[in-house]
Amino acid sequence: MVVLMFQVKGRPRTVAAVVFGLALMAGMVVSLIGQTPPAPRAVRVTAERFSFTPSEITVAPGAEIEFHLRSEDTAHGFRILGHQVDIAIPKRGRGEAIVRFVAPGPGKYTFECSRMCGAGHSFMRGTLIVKADAKGVR
Amino acid sequence: MMATKKVRLSAFFLLFCAIGPAASGQPASSDNPRTGPISGYMEMHLNAPVTREDGDAILDFHRFVLLFNHSFSDRLRFIGELEIAHAFVEGLEEAGEIELEQAYIDVLINPAFNLRGGMMLVPVGIINERHEPPVFNGVERPFVDTVIIPTTWFEGGAGVHGRLGSVLSYRAYVMAPLDATEFSADEGLRGGLQKGGRSNIRNAAYTGRLEYTQVPGLTVGLSGWRGDSGFNIPRLNPTVGLVEMDGRYRRNGFEFRAQFARVFIGDAARLNDALTLLIGVNPNIARQLQGYYLEASRLFSVNRWGHEVSVFGRYESFDTQFRLPAGALPFPEFDRHAWTAGGAYFLDPDVAVKVDYTHQGSAGTLRRAPRTLNVGLGWWF
């Protein structure tokens, strides 16, 4: 154990105030360093001709979601309409695509396959439901 | 001797299919395949009857299909599918054909309710809407999806589609009907497809499908068709109905499929009488047709290039004279069944070399049902 000792010149009240202020700042710094942002919620989505599973995902406004997307067959795409999310999903056995998304305000948002995947490509859509009483990700 | 030659030919075709991509010494695909605005699928088949009585081996570039898509906006989309069947097209009946299987506009309103109009696939069964070669087992499509459900079944029309909640999807269309004068005893409804070319729409047909997907890996479907189909016959308008149920379950590399379909043809006795007057022979069209199949398969990953192997077995029963009009006698050769066993080597999830052996049988004794060794090369891009 190491004990540091030092002498502060000046009036006792002033010294006490300085010590208190330093302690407060140190506490804040330690608190900020120790505080890590909440981890994004992982949502695993499987794509196959011609559906996403799950096809309906419910989250709270502001929740950060990390989509893990994999395919059971050919390459697909994952695009959330009206937002900057549009990512290719690799073919079966070629790993997964990961994309993060912060849920906007309450509402229903459509996601769809953005890569032509077969005769029923247009059926491949789902809904991201953002509502205030959603607990985490469902 | 003949059989040996056919086996050699099959082996050569198989070797050709397998060596091509492997000869480069490179994986057959990368993680980032290059794609363009055109997609499609192709399949080439070698069908080799095992015995001489069943005829010669046939090498057929069966389907060359291109899909086109264009989004006018997030809510307005065009999709087209153009097929050349049997590679060569000329003006004779037995030659190949060009078919416009899909060409529709989707108005995407929300996931629960969307509008569609144009040339569309009839939403019946597993295969009709999912017929890309790497998707189904076997070189040829199941017999039930050939003579009971006449895939690829497409027609002009309009309708709605969408998803209700997280577990139920639907489509419901109004389409041009079938033409009952072209039905037959051995191929069922197939000849009656109008295929969207100057289709007679004196009557409308209604068709729809529900798919239930509550359990991960499980899809259960229910579909149907109903339409009056007698526009070519005076004072006769047989109603044609079709009900179909199917299920698919996939888990840990295993997949199980089952499908059942029954067709109802109203006024079949009067239809046969009317056609006898027209063509001089009683076509013996049934009042009910029925078919089903059960299939199990297993997919394995086999090497560092990500190649895969699948094996499967399928049993089918299909009878195009399941119930005949009163007084008519069935031809037992149309009460058929088939065992098919085989597998596929996937050079890529979208490129499959397929091999299978099909052993058909029937309730009749007049004509022996064929046994065939099939080899196929199919791909999607």
Side-chain angles (χ1 to χ4, degrees), chain B residues 233-271:
Chain B
I233 310 168
R235 294 179 297 282
L236 182 61
N237 207 4
T239 300
V240 176
L242 186 156
V243 292
E244 184 273 348
M245 289 172 282
D246 60 77
R248 291 173 283 139
Y249 182 63
R250 183 168 57 227
R251 189 177 176 87
N252 297 332
F254 287 96
E255 183 172 9
F256 302 94
R257 290 184 176 201
Q259 180 170 289
F260 171 87
R262 183 177 287 186
V263 174
F264 303 86
I265 301 174
D267 272 335
R270 291 180 61 210
L271 176 63

Side-chain angles (χ1 to χ4, degrees), chain B residues 137-158:
Chain B
N137 289 306
V139 174
E140 303 288 351
R141 297 175 183 178
F143 292 105
V144 173
D145 288 303
T146 306
V147 297
I148 306 296
I149 301 172
T151 67
T152 305
W153 188 0
F154 55 93
E155 193 50 80

Side-chain angles (χ1 to χ4, degrees), chain B residues 87-151:
Chain B
F88 179 68
V89 180
E90 59 180 353
L92 303 175
E93 254 184 34
E94 295 303 318
E97 51 192 4
I98 295 179
E99 292 177 339
L100 185 62
E101 294 190 345
Q102 295 193 86
Y104 61 77
I105 293 287
D106 255 338
V107 183
L108 302 171
I109 297 167
N110 63 51
F113 184 81
N114 307 285
L115 304 173
R116 174 173 291 185
M119 186 79 90
M120 307 182 295
L121 296 175
V122 175
V124 170
I126 297 175
I127 294 291
N128 204 49
E129 292 183 305
R130 292 175 179 80
H131 49 242
E132 296 78 14
V135 173
F136 62 90
N137 289 306
V139 174
E140 303 288 351
R141 297 175 183 178
F143 292 105
V144 173
D145 288 303
T146 306
V147 297
I148 306 296
I149 301 172
T151 67

Side-chain angles (χ1 to χ4, degrees), chain B residues 134-308:
Chain B
V135 173
F136 62 90
N137 289 306
V139 174
E140 303 288 351
R141 297 175 183 178
F143 292 105
V144 173
D145 288 303
T146 306
V147 297
I148 306 296
I149 301 172
T151 67
T152 305
W153 188 0
F154 55 93
E155 193 50 80
V160 295
H161 65 91
R163 178 171 283 277
L164 305 173
S166 60
V167 298
L168 199 63
S169 63
Y170 73 93
R171 22 239 190 249
Y173 306 150
V174 181
M175 307 185 91
L178 295 162
D179 177 2
T181 59
E182 300 294 335
F183 295 165
S184 68
D186 60 340
E187 291 198 323
L189 309 180
R190 174 163 292 281
L193 307 187
Q194 294 202 74
K195 299 186 176 181
R198 296 176 178 164
S199 297
N200 187 306
I201 52 165
R202 180 196 298 173
N203 311 298
Y206 305 92
T207 182
R209 178 172 174 83
L210 287 172
E211 276 188 5
Y212 181 76
T213 52
Q214 170 76 46
V215 178
L218 176 67
T219 302
V220 178
L222 175 67
S223 46
W225 166 279
R226 183 183 172 85
D228 292 343
S229 307
F231 50 84
N232 271 337
I233 310 168
R235 294 179 297 282
L236 182 61
N237 207 4
T239 300
V240 176
L242 186 156
V243 292
E244 184 273 348
M245 289 172 282
D246 60 77
R248 291 173 283 139
Y249 182 63
R250 183 168 57 227
R251 189 177 176 87
N252 297 332
F254 287 96
E255 183 172 9
F256 302 94
R257 290 184 176 201
Q259 180 170 289
F260 171 87
R262 183 177 287 186
V263 174
F264 303 86
I265 301 174
D267 272 335
R270 291 180 61 210
L271 176 63
N272 285 323
D273 291 344
L275 290 174
T276 303
L277 290 175
L278 279 174
I279 60 178
V281 179
N282 189 328
N284 225 17
I285 295 166
R287 62 184 174 87
Q288 287 185 25
L289 296 71
Q290 179 177 290
Y292 66 88
Y293 69 81
L294 303 166
E295 180 185 284
S297 64
R298 176 76 164 96
L299 182 71
F300 304 90
S301 293
V302 291
N303 60 29
R304 64 189 173 89
W305 296 318
H307 294 181
E308 298 163 307

Side-chain angles (χ1 to χ4, degrees), chain B residues 51-124:
Chain B
T51 59
R52 180 182 294 188
E53 305 90 77
D54 293 329
D56 293 326
I58 300 293
L59 183 62
D60 183 23
F61 202 108
H62 196 152
R63 295 184 177 90
F64 178 94
V65 181
L66 297 177
L67 280 96
F68 309 88
N69 71 101
H70 176 74
S71 291
F72 300 96
S73 69
D74 282 347
R75 296 189 180 279
L76 200 59
R77 178 181 296 163
F78 157 74
I79 287 185
E81 181 176 351
L82 192 64
E83 171 172 326
I84 298 175
H86 307 296
F88 179 68
V89 180
E90 59 180 353
L92 303 175
E93 254 184 34
E94 295 303 318
E97 51 192 4
I98 295 179
E99 292 177 339
L100 185 62
E101 294 190 345
Q102 295 193 86
Y104 61 77
I105 293 287
D106 255 338
V107 183
L108 302 171
I109 297 167
N110 63 51
F113 184 81
N114 307 285
L115 304 173
R116 174 173 291 185
M119 186 79 90
M120 307 182 295
L121 296 175
V122 175
V124 170

Side-chain angles (χ1 to χ4, degrees), chain A residues 46 48-53 55-56 72-75 79 81-82 90-94 109-113 115-123 125-127, chain B residues 29 31 35 39 67 69 74 77 79 81 102 104 106 108 110-111 114 116 121 129-130 132 135 161 163 165-166 171 173 250 299 306 308 346 348-350 380:
Chain A
T46 303
E48 67 171 315
R49 293 181 174 102
F50 298 102
S51 62
F52 288 106
T53 305
S55 61
E56 198 172 279
E72 289 283 345
D73 42 45
T74 188
R79 175 178 175 232
L81 299 188
K91 297 177 185 182
R92 177 182 66 219
R94 306 287 197 266
Y109 302 87
T110 300
F111 58 87
E112 65 174 18
C113 178
R115 184 190 186 280
M116 187 68 180
C117 58
H121 168 68
S122 274
F123 294 131
R125 307 180 93 207
T127 309
Chain B
S29 69
D31 288 344
T35 58
S39 300
L67 280 96
N69 71 101
D74 282 347
R77 178 181 296 163
I79 287 185
E81 181 176 351
Q102 295 193 86
Y104 61 77
D106 255 338
L108 302 171
N110 63 51
N114 307 285
R116 174 173 291 185
L121 296 175
E129 292 183 305
R130 292 175 179 80
E132 296 78 14
V135 173
H161 65 91
R163 178 171 283 277
S166 60
R171 22 239 190 249
Y173 306 150
R250 183 168 57 227
L299 182 71
E308 298 163 307
F346 289 90
D348 179 283
D350 288 330
W380 159 264

